[in-house]
Amino acid sequence: CHPLAELGVRLESPAFVSGVEVPVLATTFRVAKDRSRTSHGNKPEIEVDGERLFAEEFVVRHLRRTGWDAFWIDSHKRSFWPLEVDPPKHLATWVTDLGAGRRYTTGTWDVVASRGSSIIAYELKGPRDSIKQSQAQWFGEASLRGLDVEASAVLSWSTGR
């Protein structure tokens, strides 16, 4: 069972990223009408059960509720989220090693998570967004360094009414 299956995601045609077949999942989120946070430029907030949050925060919360140590690698703020919890050392080291010694690099996927020895990652793509070459390169390198490519995916989301 895919870690995001409970969210009602649909499996789309796979994409080929750096020569690796990547599952593409699709879902719909309700976008908040006005902006309460402007900390991330034009990044839209979504509404889930009356709460406003970024899609990455929603995915992290879901994974954490289902037993994963999950984090949003917020390259805009150069931090892991949630801020109050440090990622497990092996996960932070894995991310750092992928960045050639830099903790935050262009192309790092949005959400990384671990449970036991398994490491998964998600790149979230909202409306009018697509995978960048640096993200394809990151995925290719990550797949060679232990990323569970069967459970990792691009999560493409559209807006609902």
Side-chain angles (χ1 to χ4, degrees), residues 27-39:
T27 194
T28 303
F29 290 127
R30 181 176 171 187
V31 175
K33 292 186 188 238
D34 61 337
R35 296 190 123 131
S36 65
R37 296 188 282 181
T38 58
S39 62

Side-chain angles (χ1 to χ4, degrees), residues 18 46-47 69 94 96 106 142 147 153:
S18 292
I46 62 172
E47 283 187 23
D69 283 324
W94 185 82
T96 300
T106 301
L147 180 70

Side-chain angles (χ1 to χ4, degrees), residues 41-146:
N42 290 326
K43 180 181 280 297
E45 289 180 297
I46 62 172
E47 283 187 23
V48 178
D49 298 328
E51 184 178 9
R52 301 167 64 104
L53 62 165
F54 294 119
E56 294 84 354
E57 292 171 313
F58 176 71
V59 170
V60 166
R61 286 181 182 180
H62 170 75
L63 290 170
R64 291 178 80 75
R65 277 194 303 268
T66 58
W68 291 87
D69 283 324
F71 295 87
W72 172 18
I73 300 177
D74 185 350
S75 57
H76 184 79
K77 290 197 165 198
R78 297 192 165 297
S79 63
F80 284 103
W81 185 93
L83 295 172
E84 66 277 4
V85 180
D86 287 332
K89 184 170 177 51
H90 76 279
L91 186 58
T93 299
W94 185 82
V95 169
T96 300
D97 288 348
L98 279 172
R102 296 182 313 252
R103 185 169 176 179
Y104 306 99
T105 63
T106 301
T108 302
W109 279 25
D110 295 318
V111 174
V112 294
S114 69
R115 183 165 61 188
S117 61
S118 184
I119 296 176
I120 60 175
Y122 295 96
E123 176 60 30
L124 280 73
K125 293 296 178 191
R128 299 177 304 279
D129 198 2
S130 60
I131 293 181
K132 296 167 184 62
Q133 182 58 34
S134 59
Q135 294 165 333
Q137 291 169 338
W138 186 90
F139 183 82
E141 181 65 23
S143 68
L144 297 173
R145 295 187 180 211

